[in-house]
Amino acid sequence: MGRKDSMLVTTTPPASERDGADIALAKAIAACEVLMSDIGEASMRTVAAQALDAYSRLDDGGKLSFFRHVTTAYDVDPDQVRATFHRWEQLRNNGSDAGEELTRLFAAVEPARQQLLRLLNHAPGATLALVEMRSDLRRLMRHRPELRPLDHDFHHLLTSWFNRGFLRLDEVTTDSPPQLLRQLLQYETVHPMTTEAELSRRLQPPDRRVFAFLHPATGELPLIFVEVALVRGVPDRIAPLLEPGPALDPVTADTAALYSINNALDGLAGVSFGSFLVKQVIEQVSIQLPHLRQFVTLSPIPGFRHWCEARALDDTAVGVLVDELATIDDVDQLDEAHAERIRARLLPVVARYLVDERREDGRPIDPVARFHLGNGAAAWRLNWPANPSPEAWRQSYGAMVNYRYEPEQLERRHEDFVQRGSVAVSGPLQRLRASS
């Protein structure tokens, strides 16, 4: 026997399990009510821990009920907001700066949910538990817009708790804590790994480096991984960076290629860790290998195919290109002449997507482009076919882009991007744009 609750489908559990789930939900809700009452700090830690423990026992149905309760029960008081605003407005109209009333207005418009989350954070290990709670929320709210205010509260607080100033950059090696290595294996989503042998391939060879950004609240659980390959020249295909092969002597390398950057915690999605994370990695690699001449990425273009297929509806040339790409079963089997004909038509369209297409706020629509351009890089070269994997074909027909990081240009390009929305373009991509 089944039950459909909005978009959530569950199988009805036995009565004893339902009773246990109901008890856990009631305990979580009751503990939150106690937290929001007037209790001492010692009791606060205990009650917060009880609330998080009860939450951890909930199934998805219980978590959804908990989120709905917190969203509605700890919302702003509209009458208080209205009254406080009118008092502030009246004082302003009478010539007062109304500073104290403005402070009261700020307090009135902040949902009580934010204070509840702050109080929950008093429990031991609570910060990571709240990050995981937000991960649950993001998964369950996809078709439930009424929960977005709660996600906004999480994002607001996590942004302040995970300030970049608290981050620590460590190199990951085979001697790193096992928990950290498991995280790398589990949360590598750009170029997933399935075995420890693949993990060793990215850690052990002398021409490979992996760096992790850690935070005191998450211990040995990293927030971000950055994987680096030492190579000669700028790579145009991902396979040589991932597949087994002879290692390059780092002394003979001239380029550091950042080929994978991962956010390891979904609960921190959308939380910015600053605009110079890559710069930190480059500085660390430069200390180890001062002879390196260039720092580049080989980056995915995750939104390109979706955008391209949408444009094909009203752009004949793009439509013909999309139809031709749809006939390719194995890009590796294309002869070079055929590949070059497609490349000559495809790359200008990719360039248009990366450089010209913008969101309402004036930023590029591609999320990876926003990250690298915001970190001060320049879009340098487009590559096709660069990644023949099914996922890369689904995202971008296998196209990838090199972003180039020039240390002396990072801050200027970052400021141009942030203040004016300027997309830095150089090298082969700049020449492609000029000739198109």
Side-chain angles (χ1 to χ4, degrees), residues 29-211:
I29 291 174
C32 288
E33 292 175 355
V34 173
L35 275 178
M36 294 296 283
S37 65
D38 189 15
I39 62 173
E41 185 171 345
S43 299
M44 189 182 303
R45 287 171 56 87
T46 300
V47 175
Q50 291 172 348
L52 294 176
D53 178 69
Y55 172 83
S56 71
R57 300 173 188 274
L58 299 176
D59 59 14
D60 279 357
K63 290 175 181 177
L64 185 58
S65 296
F66 177 78
F67 291 144
R68 284 172 170 160
H69 172 78
V70 170
T71 300
T72 56
Y74 299 101
D75 202 356
V76 297
D77 182 340
D79 292 333
Q80 183 181 7
V81 172
R82 192 177 300 110
T84 308
F85 173 77
H86 287 323
R87 286 196 297 271
W88 172 81
E89 185 178 43
Q90 185 176 24
L91 288 170
R92 291 285 294 175
N93 291 339
N94 291 335
S96 169
D97 64 4
E100 290 186 8
E101 203 59 40
L102 182 61
T103 300
R104 295 189 184 96
L105 180 58
F106 285 152
V109 299
E110 179 183 282
R113 296 183 296 266
Q114 293 189 18
Q115 178 62 7
L116 174 62
L117 295 177
R118 293 189 190 98
L119 295 173
L120 287 171
N121 199 36
H122 280 72
T127 304
L128 184 57
L130 290 171
V131 170
E132 294 169 348
M133 186 184 291
R134 186 188 179 223
S135 181
D136 291 337
L137 174 63
R138 280 171 45 80
R139 176 171 52 83
L140 295 171
M141 67 176 275
R142 286 175 184 148
H143 302 287
R144 300 178 178 88
E146 70 275 10
L147 296 180
R148 288 175 186 163
L150 178 57
D151 184 62
H152 178 272
D153 296 327
F154 267 105
H155 181 271
H156 173 75
L157 292 175
L158 291 172
T159 296
S160 60
W161 295 347
F162 284 87
N163 183 286
R164 176 176 175 265
F166 293 112
L167 298 186
R168 182 182 86 247
L169 178 65
D170 282 359
E171 183 171 358
V172 182
T173 69
T174 53
D175 294 326
S176 294
Q179 184 181 30
L180 195 158
L181 298 178
R182 286 195 298 270
Q183 287 289 110
L184 176 55
L185 187 61
Q186 179 178 355
Y187 289 102
E188 163 58 278
T189 58
V190 179
H191 302 296
M193 296 174 283
T194 57
T195 67
E196 291 188 0
E198 290 180 84
L199 175 60
S200 296
R201 165 65 187 149
R202 303 193 193 184
L203 293 174
Q204 287 186 335
D207 60 351
R208 293 294 184 268
R209 303 285 190 277
V210 176
F211 297 92

Side-chain angles (χ1 to χ4, degrees), residues 1 4 13 24 32 61 75 81 116 126 128 139 151 173 184 188 231 236 245 298 354 359 363 394 413 416 432:
M1 182 176 178
K4 185 171 183 179
C32 288
D75 202 356
V81 172
L116 174 62
L128 184 57
R139 176 171 52 83
D151 184 62
T173 69
L184 176 55
E188 163 58 278
V231 295
D236 60 1
L298 184 58
L354 287 176
R359 304 188 308 184
R363 298 288 188 266
R394 184 190 66 79
R413 286 173 173 164
D416 287 345
L432 173 68

Side-chain angles (χ1 to χ4, degrees), residues 307-318:
W307 172 86
C308 209
E309 291 175 342
R311 285 296 177 274
L313 299 176
D314 52 24
D315 187 317
T316 302
V318 174

